[in-house]
Amino acid sequence: MLSRVWSDLRYRLRALMRSRTVTREIDAELQFHLEQEASKHRQAGLDPIEAQRKAALGLGGLGHVREEVRDAHGTVLVTRLIQDARFALRMLGKSPTFTVVAVLAIALGSGAVTTIVSAANALLLRPIPGIEAPDRVVDLNRTAGPQGREPRTSSYPLYVALRDQSRLLSGIAAWSAAQLTITAGAQGTTAFANLASDNYFAVLGVRPLLGRFFATGDDRARGAHAEIVLSEGFWRQRFGGDSALIGKAVSVNGSPYVVIGVAPAAFRGVAPLVRTDAWVPLGMTDQLRPATALLSNPRGSWLMLVGRLAPHATIAAASAEAATILARLKATSSDVDPDAGMAISAATGVPGDAHGTLVSFIALLLVVATLVLLIASVNVAGMLLARATARRHEMAIRVALGAGRQRIIAQLLTESVVLFLGGAAGGYLIAIWSTRIASRVPLRLEVPVTVDLSPDYRVLAIALGVALITGVAFGLAPAFEATRVDPSAGLRTGTAGAGTRRSSLRQVLVTAQLAVSLVLLMSGGLFLRALYRGLQVPTGFTTTGVSTAALDVSSAGYSDDRAREFYDQLKTRLLATGNVAAVSFIQPLPLSNSVYSEDFAVEGYQARTGEHPDGKVDLDLATIGADYFKVTGIPIVEGREFGVDDKATSPKVAVINQTFAQTYWPGVDPIGRTVTGDEGMMTVVGVARDAKYASLNEAPLPFIYLPLTQHWGSATHLLVRTSGQVAALGTAIRDAVHGIDPIFPQPVSTTLDAATSVALLPQRIAAIVTGAMGALGFLLALIGLYGTLAYRVSQRAREIGLRMALGADRVAVMRMVLREGMRLVAIGGAIGMALAVATTRVMSRFLFGVSPLDPLVFAAIPAALVCAAFLAIIVPARKAAATNPLDTLRNN
């Protein structure tokens, strides 16, 4: 059976690749049968000529039989497609202006779609690079919480329980991001590393480029394996690709670590969007993050979990097993959140809490890009319709010569498909160019993000597939209209002729373009309003004149005492610099989408329904240095801020915000009341005015400030306020750090204004993309409107000439054309408004409180559309009014 299939396939391929040879073989075979048949007739007594004639009649005609044989082997269809493609290229080549304009229009629309598909492919669809069988790798996320929070990180005890008890996951690995200082020479280098479990590389199926990876037990013997694995990029950039580095020690946070291996270049970690320079064993956490006790804290939330499904196991079954393991852990430990749950999903390379938002955002941009492609396709369909009218005489000749309607439609569809495939190729080039630019746009994020947005073969396949579908879909109506021709009438007139049906269809297409372009403009307008609203949202603090830099001296091996001394010296040195008004510290930086939270027991507060039964409430917090409120300009409305007397050994204190006081102590003086967290009881000494903390669109929420001196953490953000030029602070900060520790990596400083602008990044991208695409779609729609009316004026030249000959003046003719054009604008605008009302609601989560039916946008955009459309209509209207009735009647 297989041999027959293979033999048949070989013959078909040979018939396509060597068609002339196969044709000669078929002719030879037919000639043989013809001679055999003629021989029989000659033996029966017929003369040779008559015998040859009867033999040919008996076979049914050589040409007919030859086609039947070729058709039986399935080559006729392909041959016709090739012939049609050649014919289409020849016909399009005869109309270069039409071809270039059509391909350019499609390329713009296809380029918009291909660019967004490329982004979706890079961010969401590509498997994690460099790992084995990525389709069997899953993310394990801890979920829930009494107030609806959904943390995705886990504690080390929870990881150990899942790792040891799971049977449907062949392995579960844990990792956590960490910033290290790696020193090999006179200058340290900041490295973005992962603390990884000993089975991390084994679970992912990664093999070392050089050396080896962690051995089993490296993370279970705490502090015993000071080893490090380098990424291929960091190894080449920092150490020049020296293979002799394996087995040697480098300084990591001031302690010697042995370089045991180098990861392959293709592997960039489980979250490949974030640059990873190195991996160290999880067992070294206590040394790299001293005084945190993360490995023994059952309520800790800091580990990402990734697993590999066992053979034949499913995600649903593994989720059920993980839930059972978690339930057993809850039954034996009161430290586990009773509302916690486990969720297992296919690993995507994007953190679980960001994946959903990213999917929604990309889907929204893809819809916008698809609308641009729709407008471009409708525009080209209108051009094909006009071209079909111009080729009416040609179609009449074809029909008169016996060409079937089906055959002509197939040829016209081939022309349409060739146009759209050409446009898709141009769109692919646009996508390469636009993604290259987008990849180079610097993002002010706390972690180095590396995104390769360039399109690959999957994007190209999608672009060509979409082109094939749209080419057929939007070429079908013009093809049917072109073949709807009376050969006698077409041959008699010999002109393009008129056609009410074709004009109506073109008007429908233009109306659709106007409607869709209005939806695009509405979307862009709403995002611009959201961006403007976001810029106007009062943050509660002042960013002007403030510079910031991320610091973590523990990554350079500083003890807590040395770190405190370092920051004190840094503050003193900076205050001694001219124009520096105040210096402080904070972690996390406001409006960076980072949230630190902790469970607190609030004095006098009773748990409500749905809250944690132990009465504790989950509160967002920040640790700040002295003078923080002076640097940021946040006023203290009651009590005091932290001072120099609030030392580590002093009674613990806290500052709360207004919403905290109103929520938990309404009508009561909060000063002197207490809250109790993980580090004991704290007395409230002040109330600060409300501000924005994690994001601009957050509702007012209870917030608590803790003094850095009493809640120590060396990872912090330096804040420096100046009365002079903020740009000069970068040098001052680097000089101050270098003066204290010349080996410490030079910090990267930026303005607080720039650092907090990441809060509006989605709105900026959406406003730019939808605004650009809306403008492009609107321009295409205006071109379509102009083209349609210009075509209508040319069609009605005789009618206009007659009207003017009978007494109609130029104003009346112009008013007639304007009325026709504005009627299309009114219908398209009304449909577009209805579509916008129905669809802009899906954008509400990105609009910062701007209504999806914002009155300003819904009034200004349609008004702008009407004005621009009027300008597009006035040109053909003036041309119609300039008609000379004598010349027109004479020529017609």
Side-chain angles (χ1 to χ4, degrees):
M1 181 67 181
L2 288 176
S3 61
R4 285 188 58 190
V5 172
W6 172 242
S7 176
D8 187 62
L9 181 61
R10 285 180 57 191
Y11 181 84
R12 290 168 187 266
L13 289 174
R14 186 166 173 268
L16 286 174
M17 305 299 295
R18 305 182 62 183
S19 60
R20 292 183 179 178
T21 302
V22 172
T23 300
R24 284 198 298 270
E25 292 174 355
I26 293 174
D27 289 344
E29 185 176 353
L30 289 175
Q31 191 62 38
F32 171 77
H33 291 293
L34 182 65
E35 287 297 332
Q36 290 291 317
E37 196 66 22
S39 175
K40 291 179 184 178
H41 290 306
R42 286 196 297 271
Q43 291 174 3
L46 294 179
D47 62 80
I49 297 177
E50 182 61 19
Q52 194 75 15
R53 190 184 69 81
K54 289 200 68 172
L57 289 175
L59 287 176
L62 292 180
H64 179 70
V65 174
R66 186 190 299 120
E67 289 303 311
E68 283 188 341
V69 172
R70 290 169 58 83
D71 198 26
H73 288 87
T75 59
V76 173
L77 179 60
V78 177
T79 304
R80 283 182 180 172
L81 281 176
I82 295 174
Q83 290 175 348
D84 287 350
R86 288 175 178 169
F87 181 75
L89 289 173
R90 197 160 57 242
M91 294 303 294
L92 292 174
K94 291 181 178 179
S95 307
T97 304
F98 164 83
T99 304
V100 169
V101 172
V103 169
L104 183 61
I106 299 167
L108 292 173
S110 178
V113 172
T114 307
T115 300
I116 302 302
V117 170
S118 297
N121 179 51
L123 299 174
L124 301 172
L125 302 180
R126 281 181 188 159
I128 299 174
I131 67 175
E132 182 180 341
D135 58 318
R136 303 294 293 172
V137 177
V138 295
D139 287 329
L140 292 84
N141 298 317
R142 182 171 66 91
T143 61
Q147 295 181 359
R149 293 180 181 278
E150 297 183 354
R152 64 182 301 271
T153 51
S154 302
S155 66
Y156 185 75
L158 176 58
Y159 158 64
V160 172
L162 292 167
R163 181 196 65 192
D164 295 344
Q165 298 178 38
S166 177
R167 298 294 176 267
L168 296 178
L169 292 170
S170 59
I172 299 176
W175 65 280
S176 179
Q179 184 174 319
L180 308 176
T181 297
I182 298 178
T183 306
Q187 182 68 53
T189 302
T190 298
F192 295 90
N194 286 173
L195 297 164
S197 59
D198 54 8
N199 61 350
Y200 176 83
F201 294 102
V203 169
L204 297 174
V206 182
R207 291 174 177 77
L209 176 67
L210 287 176
R212 64 175 179 85
F213 289 147
F214 305 133
T216 302
D218 278 7
D219 68 338
R220 302 175 200 192
R222 299 179 183 177
H225 296 277
E227 301 169 340
I228 186 169
V229 174
L230 303 178
S231 72
E232 192 267 353
F234 189 79
W235 171 61
R236 290 193 183 280
Q237 183 181 9
R238 182 63 180 84
F239 298 102
D242 182 10
S243 58
L245 186 67
I246 304 301
K248 294 183 178 178
V250 296
S251 173
V252 176
N253 289 9
S255 300
Y257 276 62
V258 176
V259 179
I260 62 170
V262 176
F267 180 66
R268 303 197 300 271
V270 179
L273 299 182
V274 179
R275 194 186 82 205
T276 303
D277 298 321
W279 294 265
V280 294
L282 206 56
M284 302 305 294
T285 301
D286 289 343
Q287 183 193 73
L288 297 173
R289 292 179 174 176
T292 57
L294 287 171
L295 292 174
S296 57
N297 183 5
R299 306 187 73 164
S301 178
W302 63 292
L303 285 176
M304 318 274 188
L305 305 185
V306 60
R308 180 174 291 279
L309 290 171
H312 310 299
T314 64
I315 290 180
S319 298
E321 182 192 59
T324 303
I325 296 171
L326 182 62
R328 283 201 295 264
L329 199 61
K330 290 178 184 176
T332 58
S333 174
S334 60
D335 290 318
V336 180
D337 187 345
D339 296 325
M342 289 300 302
I344 296 181
S345 58
T348 62
V350 178
D353 53 350
H355 186 264
T357 303
L358 191 58
V359 168
S360 302
F361 189 62
I362 292 288
L364 180 63
L365 296 184
L366 187 59
V367 169
V368 171
T370 303
L371 292 178
V372 176
L373 177 60
L374 179 63
I375 293 174
S377 301
V378 170
N379 219 327
V380 173
M383 295 170 64
L384 287 172
L385 202 58
R387 179 177 164 84
T389 304
R391 297 172 66 182
R392 189 168 177 240
H393 185 64
E394 173 196 339
M395 298 301 148
I397 293 176
R398 288 196 192 188
V399 173
L401 292 176
R405 189 182 184 198
Q406 187 177 357
R407 186 78 186 95
I408 297 176
I409 288 175
Q411 288 182 344
L412 293 176
L413 281 180
T414 304
E415 286 185 26
S416 173
V417 169
V418 168
L419 276 177
F420 278 82
L421 287 176
Y428 190 77
L429 295 177
I430 290 175
I432 292 175
W433 172 74
S434 58
T435 54
R436 191 170 295 169
I437 291 177
S439 298
R440 292 176 181 171
V441 174
L443 299 176
R444 297 186 181 96
L445 302 176
E446 292 194 349
V447 292
V449 174
T450 56
V451 186
D452 178 14
L453 297 175
S454 59
D456 57 16
Y457 68 94
R458 284 171 296 201
V459 176
L460 178 61
I462 292 173
L464 294 178
V466 170
L468 192 63
I469 294 172
T470 50
V472 173
F474 289 93
L476 209 54
F480 272 105
E481 284 299 317
T483 55
R484 201 187 299 274
V485 60
D486 179 359
S488 60
L491 291 172
R492 188 167 55 250
T493 58
T495 64
T500 305
R501 182 186 180 87
R502 293 187 180 90
S503 296
S504 301
L505 187 54
R506 291 199 66 181
Q507 291 174 10
V508 170
L509 295 178
V510 168
T511 303
Q513 289 181 66
L514 291 169
V516 175
S517 66
L518 183 59
V519 175
L520 282 176
L521 289 173
M522 291 282 198
S523 303
L526 286 173
F527 276 121
L528 284 174
R529 284 276 292 155
L531 181 59
Y532 178 77
R533 175 69 66 87
L535 293 173
Q536 302 304 313
V537 169
T539 61
F541 58 91
T542 305
T543 59
T544 306
V546 180
S547 184
T548 182
L551 296 172
D552 184 1
V553 293
S554 71
S555 69
Y558 279 58
S559 64
D560 284 354
D561 290 340
R562 283 190 64 204
R564 290 172 188 267
E565 185 180 349
F566 178 95
Y567 290 136
D568 287 342
Q569 289 185 26
L570 179 61
K571 184 173 183 176
T572 302
R573 283 174 177 261
L574 287 170
L575 286 173
T577 305
N579 296 327
V580 171
V583 178
S584 188
F585 304 90
I586 185 172
Q587 183 69 353
L589 195 69
L591 297 183
S592 60
N593 288 322
S594 296
V595 178
Y596 283 22
S597 64
E598 186 177 316
D599 289 344
F600 287 89
V602 180
E603 178 186 344
Y605 181 73
Q606 299 297 319
R608 298 170 184 169
T609 303
E611 294 183 341
H612 204 287
D614 64 5
K616 292 184 177 179
V617 293
D618 190 17
L619 295 174
D620 288 352
L621 61 89
T623 55
I624 60 174
D627 296 331
Y628 171 75
F629 298 104
K630 182 179 179 182
V631 172
T632 58
I634 299 176
I636 297 293
V637 297
E638 193 172 352
R640 65 172 177 86
E641 65 172 304
F642 302 132
V644 293
D645 294 333
D646 297 315
K647 301 177 181 176
T649 55
S650 304
K652 295 187 182 307
V653 294
V655 171
I656 61 175
N657 70 347
Q658 291 172 300
T659 301
F660 185 109
Q662 294 163 4
T663 303
Y664 297 108
W665 297 312
V668 179
D669 185 3
I671 305 300
R673 291 189 170 267
T674 61
V675 294
T676 305
D678 293 343
E679 298 183 45
M681 187 172 68
M682 291 153 270
T683 302
V684 174
V685 297
V687 179
R689 194 179 65 186
D690 284 348
K692 296 293 183 183
Y693 306 104
S695 63
L696 284 171
N697 59 350
E698 66 188 13
L701 75 165
F703 196 83
I704 185 168
Y705 298 95
L706 305 177
L708 181 62
T709 52
Q710 297 180 350
H711 302 267
W712 180 251
S714 67
T716 188
H717 288 83
L718 171 70
L719 297 174
V720 183
R721 171 168 289 283
T722 179
S723 56
Q725 293 295 324
V726 69
L729 286 177
T731 303
I733 293 171
R734 286 192 294 273
D735 290 346
V737 170
H738 186 75
I740 301 170
D741 186 347
I743 298 179
F744 189 78
Q746 293 296 298
V748 178
S749 63
T750 184
T751 63
L752 184 59
D753 191 35
T756 56
S757 65
V758 69
L760 285 172
L761 183 62
Q763 285 68 30
R764 291 182 195 277
I765 294 175
I768 292 172
V769 173
T770 57
M773 293 188 181
L776 176 61
F778 186 49
L779 179 62
L780 291 172
L782 289 182
I783 293 174
L785 177 63
Y786 165 78
T788 297
L789 289 177
Y791 174 72
R792 283 283 293 163
V793 168
S794 67
Q795 276 191 317
R796 300 175 63 184
R798 179 180 172 80
E799 174 199 340
I800 294 172
L802 281 172
R803 285 175 180 266
M804 298 184 76
L806 294 174
D809 59 12
R810 297 180 184 275
V811 175
V813 172
M814 183 179 290
R815 190 182 300 131
M816 177 187 69
V817 177
L818 286 174
R819 188 166 53 245
E820 181 177 350
M822 294 311 292
R823 181 173 59 84
L824 298 178
V825 175
I827 296 173
I831 296 174
M833 289 281 283
L835 289 175
V837 170
T839 58
T840 52
R841 297 177 191 278
V842 300
M843 302 161 49
S844 55
R845 64 182 299 188
F846 301 106
L847 294 182
F848 269 128
V850 174
S851 170
L853 306 178
D854 184 70
L856 179 60
V857 172
F858 273 71
I861 299 294
L865 182 140
V866 170
C867 293
F870 180 82
L871 295 177
I873 296 169
I874 196 69
V875 178
R878 289 171 60 88
K879 183 178 180 182
T883 300
N884 186 329
L886 291 179
D887 292 343
T888 303
L889 293 176
R890 186 182 304 118
N891 293 334
N892 287 275

